[in-house]
């Protein structure tokens, strides 16, 4: 009975996967050796396992020479074109310069923020301090200039408001000078209106006359009939019965 067809998919079992890798790796290396011997061919084989371990076979003098030959055959068109090669080299050099520049700027930014100061020596720290002082002076100068500009704007607005107030006052004075009779009539009307109001002395709030015959508990005695005694104590030490001592 012949072998069944093997389905090509990843082997989930780790042990089976390692055993299969070892068997097929050895078989592939054997096939490469047989091909180089039987056909007089230069064969190079490179294998990396899942753990990153390298397995290689080369029938030539060395793997490096075989790879160099491969690069010449694969990228021969680029090497034959000298301007393109020079452009590639110049672009790569420009890339390296820009990369170095970016690293320097990033390191300088960290230093300005107070980070990564340990590698700096005394001279570099002094230069950093001087640079920070210059930056601080520029910030203060810009802030002062902005405040002066705002103050100038506020002063201009103040002058505009003062001019508008003066114009309004002038218009009011011109109106009063142009129509003096209307103002006098209004003043006279107000004084006449207030003059017609009755006062308290005119009897508006005079009390009504009492009718003695309608009062409840009215005593006919007049004020002349009532005698007021002076507050004096009796013999027993108490005052009169109608007097309340507090």
């Amino acid at each position: 009975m012949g072998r069944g067809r093997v389905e090509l998919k990843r082997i989930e079992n780790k042990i089976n996967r390692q055993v299969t890798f070892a068997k097929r790796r050895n078989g592939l290396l054997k096939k490469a050796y047989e091909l180089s011997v039987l056909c007089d061919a230069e064969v190079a084989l490179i294998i990396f396992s899942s753990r990153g371990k390298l397995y290689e076979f080369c029938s030539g003098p060395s793997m490096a020479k075989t790879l160099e030959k491969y690069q010449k055959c694969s990228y021969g068109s680029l090497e034959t074109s000298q301007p393109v090669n020079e452009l590639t080299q110049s672009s790569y050099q420009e890339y390296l310069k820009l990369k170095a520049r970016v690293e320097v700027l990033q390191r300088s930014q960290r230093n300005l923020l107070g980070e990564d100061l340990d590698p700096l020596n005394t001279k570099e720290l002094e230069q950093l301090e001087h640079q920070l002082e210059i930056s601080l002076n520029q910030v203060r100068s810009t802030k002062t200039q902005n405040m002066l500009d705002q103050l100038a704007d506020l002063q201009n607005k103040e002058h505009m408001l003062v001019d508008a107030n003066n114009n309004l006052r002038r218009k009011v004075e011109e109106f009063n000078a142009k129509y003096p009779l209307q103002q006098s009539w209004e003043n006279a009307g107000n004084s006449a209106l207030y003059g017609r109001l009755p006062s308290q002395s005119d009897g508006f709030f005079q009390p009504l006359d009492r009718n003695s015959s309608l009062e409840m508990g009215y005593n006919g005695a007049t004020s002349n009939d009532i005698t007021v005694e002076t507050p004096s104590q009796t013999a027993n030490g108490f005052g009169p019965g109608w007097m309340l001592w507090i």
Side-chain angles (χ1 to χ4, degrees):
M1 185 176 179
R3 296 177 57 186
R5 184 175 181 182
V6 180
E7 185 179 1
L8 294 178
K9 67 176 184 179
R10 183 176 182 273
I11 301 174
E12 299 299 333
N13 193 327
K14 184 177 181 180
I15 298 176
N16 295 338
R17 185 169 61 249
Q18 292 178 354
V19 172
T20 303
F21 172 75
K23 290 181 179 181
R24 292 182 177 269
R25 178 199 64 201
N26 295 332
L28 184 59
L29 293 174
K30 182 179 179 181
K31 291 293 183 183
Y33 171 73
E34 292 176 355
L35 180 62
S36 63
V37 174
L38 295 175
C39 301
D40 194 16
E42 186 176 356
V43 180
L45 178 63
I46 299 176
I47 301 174
F48 286 98
S49 66
S50 59
R51 298 181 179 179
K53 190 174 181 180
L54 173 63
Y55 301 92
E56 63 180 4
F57 168 79
C58 181
S59 61
S62 64
M63 181 65 74
K65 292 183 178 181
T66 304
L67 291 176
E68 184 179 358
K69 185 184 295 185
Y70 166 76
Q71 290 178 354
K72 289 181 180 180
C73 294
S74 300
Y75 304 99
S77 58
L78 294 177
E79 293 180 358
T80 55
S81 179
Q82 188 67 19
V84 176
N85 191 14
E86 292 179 357
L87 180 61
T88 305
Q89 290 293 333
S90 61
S91 300
Y92 183 72
Q93 294 296 331
E94 187 68 20
Y95 161 75
L96 293 178
K97 291 180 181 179
L98 292 176
K99 184 179 179 181
R101 180 61 177 171
V102 169
E103 292 178 355
V104 171
L105 292 176
Q106 290 178 351
R107 184 170 60 255
S108 177
Q109 183 180 6
R110 290 193 298 269
N111 293 335
L112 290 174
L113 294 176
E115 301 175 356
D116 297 341
L117 299 178
D118 294 336
L120 301 180
N121 53 24
T122 305
K123 185 176 181 180
E124 291 175 347
L125 290 174
E126 291 178 355
Q127 293 178 356
L128 180 61
E129 182 181 6
H130 181 66
Q131 185 177 359
L132 289 173
E133 290 178 355
I134 295 175
S135 301
L136 183 59
N137 292 332
Q138 292 178 354
V139 171
R140 289 176 177 174
S141 177
T142 305
K143 178 182 177 182
T144 304
Q145 186 63 35
N146 291 336
M147 295 177 65
L148 292 176
D149 294 340
Q150 293 179 0
L151 180 61
D153 294 338
L154 293 176
Q155 290 178 351
N156 293 332
K157 292 180 180 179
E158 181 183 4
H159 292 325
M160 293 174 62
L161 292 175
V162 170
D163 294 339
N165 191 14
N166 293 332
N167 292 332
L168 290 175
R169 185 182 293 106
R170 191 180 304 107
K171 290 181 180 180
V172 171
E173 292 176 355
E174 292 177 356
F175 180 80
N176 293 335
K178 187 175 182 180
Y179 302 101
L181 295 178
Q182 183 176 359
Q183 296 293 330
S184 62
W185 289 347
E186 292 179 356
N187 296 331
N190 294 331
S191 62
L193 177 62
Y194 293 132
R196 286 197 299 270
L197 295 177
S199 61
Q200 186 175 359
S201 61
D202 294 339
F204 186 77
F205 294 103
Q206 291 296 327
L208 298 175
D209 294 336
R210 292 187 305 176
N211 189 357
S212 60
S213 63
L214 297 179
E215 293 182 358
M216 298 179 65
Y218 174 73
N219 188 4
T222 61
S223 61
N224 296 326
D225 298 334
I226 300 174
T227 60
V228 179
E229 297 182 0
T230 59
S232 61
Q233 294 182 350
T234 60
N236 54 3
F238 296 96
W242 57 269
M243 183 176 294
L244 178 64
W245 291 88
I246 299 178

